[in-house]
């Protein structure tokens, strides 16, 4: 299952919100172009329907209510795919800031070493560039995920930052997350 926050918010607000989320939808990781193309077409059709409702004087809220749950989930998965691709592209293109990158990576790594977090969360991959960090992590359960997200939101390196997370709940109840966090004062 896949729950995604596509909003760009302050890290404190983001991590607090992420800590409260429950999972819905299906996994979007590992999707192929063949799997994504029909979703893209469906999203475009839905966007055209919404625009038509606007032109007819109908509200987008009424249009959204008419969408099936499956359609809403497909739209959300597509937004997530596009947002993650955009952030990943920016992340890869960005050079490292030797001072800030190391400091931010150290703070994040130390978070996983703390007694509060170590029992239920594991860092899978961590990298920071000049203005953006990518954190891939595994959490044994929602409580471990909440503890981790709360702790990251309190770090000095990310107090005035923005974040985006993709949350994938596994069949065993564990959770995989990919989180992009901007440097203080920078936008995603």
């Amino acid at each position: 299952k896949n729950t995604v926050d596509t909003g760009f918010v302050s890290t404190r607000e983001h991590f607090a919100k992420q800590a409260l989320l429950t999972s819905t939808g299906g996994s979007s990781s590992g999707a192929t172009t063949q799997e994504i193309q029909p979703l893209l077409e469906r999203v475009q059709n839905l966007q055209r329907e919404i625009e038509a409702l606007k032109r007819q004087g109908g509200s987008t809220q009424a249009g959204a209510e008419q969408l099936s749950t499956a359609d809403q989930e497909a739209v959300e998965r597509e937004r997530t795919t596009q947002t993650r691709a955009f952030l990943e592209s920016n992340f890869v293109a960005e050079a490292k800031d030797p001072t800030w990158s190391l400091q931010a990576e150290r703070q994040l790594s130390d978070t996983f070493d703390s007694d509060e977090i170590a029992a239920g969360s594991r860092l899978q991959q961590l990298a920071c560039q000049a203005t953006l960090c990518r954190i891939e992590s595994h959490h044994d359960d929602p409580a471990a995920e909440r503890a981790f997200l709360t702790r990251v939101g309190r770090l000095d390196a990310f107090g005035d930052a923005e974040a985006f997370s993709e949350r994938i709940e596994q069949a065993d109840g564990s959770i995989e997350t990919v989180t992009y966090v901007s440097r203080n004062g920078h936008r995603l």
Side-chain angles (χ1 to χ4, degrees):
K1 293 183 179 181
N2 187 17
T3 298
V4 181
D5 178 4
T6 58
F8 298 99
V9 296
S10 75
T11 53
R12 293 192 201 302
E13 183 182 328
H14 169 79
F15 289 120
K17 181 179 176 184
Q18 283 297 101
L20 297 175
L21 285 176
T22 58
S23 66
T24 61
S27 175
S28 66
S29 61
T32 66
T33 303
Q34 290 175 337
E35 293 170 324
I36 293 172
Q37 190 58 40
L39 291 174
L40 285 171
E41 291 169 8
R42 182 69 179 140
V43 168
Q44 289 171 347
N45 289 336
L46 292 170
Q47 288 171 336
R48 281 192 284 272
E49 288 176 27
I50 290 169
E51 288 304 315
L53 283 170
K54 284 181 186 177
R55 285 191 297 276
Q56 295 171 0
S59 74
T60 56
Q61 181 69 15
E65 289 171 3
Q66 293 176 4
L67 295 178
S68 71
T69 301
D71 287 342
Q72 291 174 13
E73 290 172 357
V75 168
E76 189 63 25
R77 280 192 302 274
E78 180 52 33
R79 278 190 200 144
T80 299
T81 298
Q82 290 177 357
T83 302
R84 186 168 174 195
F86 171 78
L87 290 170
E88 184 63 23
S89 172
N90 288 348
F91 179 80
V92 169
E94 199 173 72
K96 267 195 177 294
D97 173 329
T99 304
W100 181 81
S101 298
L102 292 174
Q103 176 192 13
E105 288 173 359
R106 190 173 310 113
Q107 281 187 20
L108 288 165
S109 182
D110 288 350
T111 296
F112 282 93
D113 293 337
S114 76
D115 291 338
E116 175 188 352
I117 305 301
S121 295
R122 289 176 294 292
L123 180 63
Q124 293 176 315
Q125 189 174 33
L126 168 64
C128 295
Q129 304 293 57
T131 65
L132 189 60
C133 291
R134 180 183 57 216
I135 310 161
E136 294 183 29
S137 53
H138 173 89
H139 310 281
D140 292 342
D141 54 42
E145 179 190 26
R146 279 190 300 276
F148 165 71
L149 293 171
T150 300
R151 180 88 174 232
V152 170
R154 293 182 191 147
L155 295 175
D156 292 337
F158 306 107
D160 180 27
E162 293 182 334
F164 169 89
S165 287
E166 178 179 34
R167 179 182 191 269
I168 303 168
E169 189 171 314
Q170 305 299 314
D172 66 358
S174 66
I175 299 147
E176 303 288 332
T177 61
V178 178
T179 304
Y180 295 87
V181 185
S182 69
R183 183 176 183 166
N184 273 339
H186 290 268
R187 297 186 54 106
L188 290 178

